[in-house]
Amino acid sequence: MAHDETLVGRTHDMTRIGELLVGDDTALLLSGEPGVGKSVVLDAMARSAADRGVRVLRADGVEFEADMAFAGLNQLLLPVMNAADGLEGPYRDALNVAVGLGDGVAPGRMAVSNAVLTLLRTVAVERPLLLVIDDLPWIDRASVGVLGFVARRLSGTRVSIISASRTGAEGVFPCGTMPEYELPPLDDDSARLLVGARFPGLAERVRQRVLEEARGNALALLELPAALTRPQQAAQASLPDVLPLTDRLRALYASRITGLSDSCRRLVLLAALDGSSDLHVVLQAADVRDDLLGLAEAEHGQLIRVDEGRGRLAFRHPLIRAAVVEVSTSAERREAHRALAGVLESQPDRLAWHLAEAVLRPDERVAELLEQTAHRMLQRGDAVGAVVALTRAAHISPPGQGRSRRFAEAAYIGAEGAGVLAHASELLADARRAGPETLHAAIAAVYLLINDDGSMDTAYRLLVGAIEADPDDAALADALHALVLVCWWSGREEFWRSFHTAIERRKSELPPELRLTALTYADPARTGKLALADADDLVAAAHGETDPAVIVRIGVALFYLDRLVDVRDAMWRVVRHGRSGGPSRRHLAALMIICLDHYLTGEWEEAARSAEEGIAVCDASGYRFFRWYFDYIVMLLAGARGDTTTAFRLGERVVRWATPRGAGTAVVYANQARTLACLGSGDYERAYQYATAVTPAGELASHVPHAMWGSMDLVEAAVRTGRHAEATAHVRALQDADIAALSPRFALMAAGAEALCADDDEALRLYEKALATPGVDRWPFEVARVRLAYGERLRRTRAIVEARGPLADALATFEWLDAQPWVQRTQKELRAAGLSTAPKSDGPLQSTLTPQELEVAQLAASGLTNKQIAERLFLSHRTVGAHLYQIFPKLGITSRAALRDALAAVG
């Protein structure tokens, strides 16, 4: 047979693939039905690349290692890991730990991704690299995430990627822009030519039957005739009835595998169970060193390929590997796993998996090793893999508390993190059958309960009962994090008492994000200031954190301190991880934080897109409870932009859903959003009713954190409905609570609310004080509202000319946000102040800047600080800050970093 015999009929396909893979920094996904010839094409592309001087690195997916984090990277990078010694220490260490060549704390996926990208760039300096990845769906999720990261950053690297996946298979790269080429079945002429070349003596009638059943599948064309007896091949005996192609192929593989000698069958079983394609591991496990004679039968039988030079052993098709395992006995598989474990002591995760598959009876030592593997997977963000590992660890645990605990933790991770609610329910049942209730079981039950329309009362009793029954459980921190959310969702002060009692007992032992959350999430109006000193440390911790659960918990702790923008990058890491197949629960939590951050910082289009994504994830994952988070964002945006129908419809739906479940905070959020919609539309009486449903006028309701968000809303609604006593009382409550100390935004709202109640002279001073608050430039909508109120008060005191500035600035921000009700209110005020409010010009944005604003913008774009600009222009630094705040919405930007490009774009 010619070397490229199996490429018959693939000239056009090879040409097209070559065109798509042109250059040294491209990526291509090759798809097609099983057996169509994808692996053969990959081999041909690899040979062609090698002939051109390109270095080829390969990895082949295997089902057994699909749940072993970074097993794919281990295959792919081992031949070049010597180059890792030249990397910077953090990258070198992260890479060595990830591929199992070093010890240490499990690295985060971002660290591993950057390390792999750096390693490949380094190796490619000498000559271009081609990464060839076969059977992508069986590559572990962690490796796929890293390779997807690399695939999106190939430009200028001299690294190319070609991978193969069955059509429609899950597990492909999370990279929507990767070109894909679907390898079609061979046409009739090519199929006939291929069969004729391999089986020249095949009778015509038999050949036609093979062609009909194979339907252009290259593997079937080559393998089906070999299954026939010589009389059948010669049409001297009848052929069997037509069977489904996959059944025929599996039957064929099984018969050929069982025909091998015992020694050869043992070798191919070791290779199938190892899955790394590492020939040396197989030979070491078989204790035959470098003797390849034992594999000759499998090679001659076209079951495997052996590359002695690269030390690789590959099956000709994944079905062959599966068939090897299927035809083996359980005793043979256990012996093979035990042998593999004996040569993998330096790779603890693979060792644990093989030992787990080798045991016949419960084994606590092996269960503990696999539990440790699960925890390492969890630290790397692989929650799904951790569930699989813990479940297997539970199955091999001796009866008793250890088995129950592992099942319970698997159920907890599945429900709270991994997004596998149905499986978590089964695991929880297993845990309860195996032993007494644990804290992890209680947490899992809570998440299953709330997503099945259960009540907060029941969830609260479950958690508190479990915590009080076993306050020394190692899962206490996880349980208290869950209790924080249940208490917060309920919106009931009495629920928080048990939480605070538990916190006080063990405060020194709890993680810092939980201790801070106790101060900022329960009743921040009264205790939030106590957390301010530690907030910066938590922000710093988020930047280096790799565990998605901890990142999200940090975001929760910082939420009511208005520090979300400071952890935005960390939250995006979690979201990107979720988009690439990571835990959906973490994905949702991070998305909500990002939605709120986008809303507060004026990035409303991004907020809308993130909310839409969140709703889609809720619907797809079964986390129905969290839908209201994203409905809230939609309500805020709809109300602020004048779509009151949507705002009120969603508000009513959330209230109807939340009330019977006791989810009081969802009702609070709906009322706050409806308050804002009413203020925008001028329905101040309804606005007051909704605002006081959140908190009574004159107080910040205890343990209703969101009462602070609507503080200025309530005062404005009270003033505009003639309730001056109530407005004044509420301002006093804001002052007594000193919410201004929590963040610049709360300081802005507190001063703005006070100004609404003050007499004219005092009001003007308070508005100026509010707008001069350092750091308020982060919150454009709130600032524009204060500017509008300031301009309204100036006009009413007959300071007509002075009113035009703040009103014009407010209008620019509202127009930028597309907050139409507020645009119309501001335009009305400007007309009353004697200014025309014609529609926005489509001309250059720079023309809307005053000469001084343009000068400030240019100096800021050059890199000068506010203080330096102030000294140069003989202004105060606060005036410079005020100018920049007006400039940003006029140029359609939200940060100083975007000034240079914005000015360049408008000439």
Side-chain angles (χ1 to χ4, degrees):
M1 174 178 86
H3 185 64
D4 284 335
E5 174 190 280
T6 51
L7 288 173
V8 168
R10 293 302 185 192
T11 302
H12 170 75
D13 299 306
M14 294 292 291
T15 301
R16 183 68 184 123
I17 293 168
E19 291 171 350
L20 292 171
L21 205 60
V22 66
D24 293 331
D25 49 6
T26 54
L28 178 68
L29 176 64
L30 182 64
S31 62
E33 66 181 31
V36 77
K38 301 182 296 296
S39 297
V40 170
V41 170
L42 286 185
D43 290 343
M45 295 301 298
R47 288 196 301 270
S48 174
D51 291 343
R52 298 194 311 271
V54 175
R55 184 166 193 171
V56 178
L57 301 178
R58 293 196 62 145
D60 299 318
V62 54
E63 181 178 1
F64 173 68
E65 292 196 348
D67 294 319
M68 297 177 62
F70 300 119
L73 287 184
N74 180 282
Q75 285 191 59
L76 192 69
L77 301 180
L78 275 179
V80 294
M81 280 302 293
N82 59 315
D85 294 337
L87 301 182
E88 293 181 5
Y91 284 171
R92 181 185 62 247
D93 295 341
L95 200 52
N96 280 325
V97 172
V99 301
L101 299 180
D103 296 322
V105 177
R109 183 167 306 174
M110 183 59 68
V112 176
S113 298
N114 280 310
V116 170
L117 182 60
T118 304
L119 175 66
L120 294 175
R121 286 178 178 272
T122 302
V123 173
V125 169
E126 180 180 350
R127 53 178 170 147
L129 274 177
L130 175 65
L131 309 186
V132 179
I133 304 161
D134 204 358
D135 291 317
L136 187 58
W138 291 123
I139 296 289
D140 64 279
R141 189 185 301 256
S143 295
V144 169
V146 172
L147 293 170
F149 175 96
V150 171
R152 294 188 290 272
R153 293 161 176 80
L154 292 178
S155 180
T157 62
R158 303 214 313 163
V159 178
S160 296
I161 300 177
I162 182 169
S163 57
S165 173
R166 295 186 304 279
T167 299
E170 297 181 356
V172 296
F173 286 143
C175 181
T177 59
M178 180 182 290
E180 179 175 349
Y181 183 80
E182 183 166 359
L183 194 65
L186 293 171
D187 59 52
D188 291 344
D189 290 342
S190 299
R192 181 174 291 274
L193 183 60
L194 179 59
V195 173
R198 175 66 72 88
F199 304 99
L202 200 63
E204 178 56 29
R205 180 158 55 91
V206 177
R207 180 181 289 114
Q208 186 59 39
R209 185 66 173 277
V210 168
L211 293 173
E212 289 174 359
E213 291 203 29
R215 298 180 183 178
N217 184 286
L219 184 63
L221 288 166
L222 294 172
E223 301 293 350
L224 285 175
L228 303 176
T229 64
R230 289 188 181 276
Q232 287 173 331
Q233 291 177 350
Q236 296 171 354
S238 62
L239 298 176
D241 293 338
V242 175
L243 298 174
L245 180 60
T246 54
D247 288 347
R248 288 181 60 86
L249 287 171
R250 287 196 178 100
L252 171 63
Y253 296 146
S255 63
R256 293 168 65 191
I257 292 164
T258 54
L260 298 173
S261 65
D262 289 346
S263 60
C264 183
R265 212 152 46 83
R266 181 171 184 264
L267 282 169
V268 294
L269 179 59
L270 286 166
L273 295 177
D274 172 58
S276 69
S277 298
D278 189 331
L279 179 60
H280 302 302
V281 168
V282 172
L283 295 177
Q284 286 176 353
D287 198 23
V288 293
R289 306 307 173 195
D290 296 326
D291 183 4
L292 300 180
L293 292 177
L295 292 169
E297 292 176 66
E299 283 191 276
H300 290 317
Q302 300 295 307
L303 294 173
I304 62 172
R305 300 186 190 91
V306 175
D307 185 337
E308 295 181 57
R310 296 175 57 235
R312 310 291 285 176
L313 184 158
F315 289 92
R316 292 178 59 85
H317 192 279
L319 289 177
I320 300 174
R321 181 185 293 117
V324 167
V325 176
E326 287 178 7
V327 302
S328 64
T329 66
S330 61
E332 288 171 336
R333 290 192 295 274
R334 287 196 304 274
E335 188 280 329
H337 280 298
R338 196 158 29 246
L340 288 166
V343 299
L344 292 172
E345 292 184 2
S346 63
Q347 300 183 49
D349 291 346
R350 295 178 68 191
L351 169 67
W353 276 108
H354 283 299
L355 286 174
E357 296 298 326
V359 298
L360 182 61
R361 296 180 179 84
D363 189 314
E364 178 61 24
R365 183 184 71 86
V366 176
E368 185 175 346
L369 289 175
L370 197 53
E371 183 179 8
Q372 293 168 2
T373 290
H375 292 158
R376 286 191 289 270
M377 296 172 106
L378 199 59
Q379 290 168 356
R380 296 194 291 263
D382 187 3
V384 174
V387 171
V388 173
L390 278 167
T391 303
R392 178 59 183 155
H395 280 299
I396 63 174
S397 300
Q401 190 171 3
R403 175 179 290 184
S404 174
R405 175 176 55 78
R406 288 170 182 134
F407 271 132
E409 187 174 4
Y412 158 68
I413 296 169
E416 195 273 343
V420 287
L421 291 174
H423 185 41
S425 181
E426 298 170 0
L427 292 169
L428 181 59
D430 289 337
R432 286 169 169 167
R433 283 191 293 268
E437 189 89 348
T438 67
L439 275 182
H440 273 143
I443 306 169
V446 164
Y447 277 95
L448 293 170
L449 178 75
I450 64 171
N451 285 289
D452 193 29
D453 297 335
S455 72
M456 290 300 108
D457 282 352
T458 305
Y460 174 77
R461 286 196 300 270
L462 267 173
L463 271 179
V464 171
I467 290 170
E468 291 177 348
D470 192 1
D472 296 321
D473 194 302
L476 179 63
D478 291 332
L480 289 174
H481 275 295
L483 185 57
V484 162
L485 294 177
V486 170
C487 294
W488 182 75
W489 291 329
S490 75
R492 292 161 61 178
E493 179 181 359
E494 62 270 24
F495 275 23
W496 286 100
R497 294 177 190 139
S498 296
F499 170 78
H500 289 303
T501 299
I503 284 284
E504 286 304 317
R505 284 197 200 117
R506 309 295 288 272
K507 183 181 293 186
S508 62
E509 304 168 29
L510 297 174
E513 64 272 12
L514 181 55
R515 296 198 301 270
L516 209 70
T517 300
L519 298 173
T520 64
Y521 221 57
D523 197 12
R526 294 164 180 81
T527 62
K529 292 188 291 296
L530 300 175
L532 293 174
D534 298 320
D536 287 341
D537 290 341
L538 215 54
V539 169
H543 295 314
E545 183 57 60
T546 59
D547 187 341
V550 176
I551 292 173
V552 167
R553 289 167 178 175
I554 288 173
V556 167
L558 297 173
F559 174 38
Y560 283 112
L561 299 182
D562 281 341
R563 299 293 298 271
L564 299 186
V565 70
D566 297 327
V567 293
R568 178 185 288 190
D569 290 344
M571 292 303 152
W572 270 115
R573 293 203 307 271
V574 179
V575 169
R576 286 191 289 268
H577 181 44
R579 288 174 177 173
S580 63
S584 51
R585 169 72 181 95
R586 304 284 180 246
H587 185 184
L588 286 171
L591 266 178
M592 183 54 183
I593 290 171
I594 282 174
C595 280
L596 289 165
D597 180 43
H598 282 321
Y599 173 76
L600 291 174
T601 55
E603 297 165 318
W604 285 7
E605 296 305 323
E606 290 83 354
R609 283 193 289 270
S610 296
E612 183 180 0
E613 180 181 349
I615 289 170
V617 174
C618 286
D619 292 343
S621 65
Y623 283 107
R624 295 179 296 167
F625 177 85
F626 300 99
R627 164 87 186 234
W628 71 268
Y629 282 23
F630 304 100
D631 283 342
Y632 170 65
I633 297 296
V634 175
M635 279 188 276
L636 285 175
L637 294 173
R641 287 178 159 173
D643 184 3
T644 54
T645 300
T646 295
F648 292 135
R649 175 178 55 80
L650 279 179
E652 185 61 29
R653 186 172 79 184
V654 168
V655 170
R656 284 200 310 268
W657 171 87
T659 300
R661 292 165 180 79
T665 293
V667 176
V668 166
Y669 272 52
N671 285 332
Q672 189 262 324
R674 291 189 287 188
T675 301
L676 186 63
C678 290
L679 287 174
S681 65
D683 188 350
Y684 299 116
E685 180 59 36
R686 286 181 73 191
Y688 183 78
Q689 298 305 322
Y690 283 130
T692 52
V694 173
T695 183
E699 65 177 279
L700 290 172
S702 177
H703 293 79
V704 181
H706 227 55
M708 298 189 302
W709 275 46
S711 55
M712 193 169 75
D713 299 345
L714 192 155
V715 172
E716 181 176 1
V719 167
R720 292 184 182 277
T721 56
R723 296 177 170 92
H724 296 288
E726 289 86 345
T728 301
H730 206 66
V731 167
R732 192 176 304 114
L734 300 180
Q735 293 169 338
D736 291 344
D738 192 20
I739 70 167
L742 295 179
S743 79
R745 185 172 73 96
F746 288 131
L748 172 76
M749 291 193 298
E754 185 180 1
L756 283 167
C757 297
D759 59 32
D760 290 340
D761 290 340
E762 179 65 7
L764 298 181
R765 184 190 69 78
L766 289 169
Y767 280 126
E768 290 170 1
K769 172 188 173 184
L771 293 168
T773 303
V776 293
D777 54 316
R778 285 184 173 183
W779 327 113
F781 183 56
E782 280 83 356
V783 169
R785 286 182 59 190
V786 172
R787 288 191 182 280
L788 170 59
Y790 183 27
E792 288 173 334
R793 183 63 71 96
L794 283 168
R795 188 185 66 78
R796 283 161 177 71
T797 60
R798 303 291 186 232
I800 303 298
V801 175
E802 292 85 349
R804 294 171 182 171
L807 289 173
D809 293 336
L811 178 62
T813 300
F814 291 141
E815 286 179 335
W816 171 55
L817 295 170
D818 194 27
Q820 286 305 312
W822 301 89
V823 167
Q824 293 162 15
R825 275 183 56 182
T826 311
Q827 287 175 334
K828 181 179 177 181
E829 286 294 325
L830 277 169
R831 287 193 295 270
L835 281 184
S836 171
T837 56
K840 284 192 298 183
S841 168
D842 291 331
L845 285 170
Q846 186 171 319
S847 64
T848 68
L849 299 183
T850 66
Q852 188 165 77
E853 286 173 346
L854 178 59
E855 191 171 11
V856 169
Q858 290 169 336
L859 291 172
S862 73
L864 296 185
T865 66
N866 285 10
K867 184 176 181 181
Q868 290 168 330
I869 296 170
E871 291 172 351
R872 184 168 299 190
L873 298 181
F874 302 101
L875 301 171
S876 75
H877 70 277
R878 289 183 177 176
T879 301
V880 172
H883 277 311
L884 286 171
Y885 195 79
Q886 298 168 35
I887 290 165
F888 286 178
K890 290 183 180 182
L891 293 180
I893 60 175
T894 59
S895 70
R896 201 182 192 98
L899 269 173
R900 185 188 300 273
D901 290 342
L903 291 173
V906 298

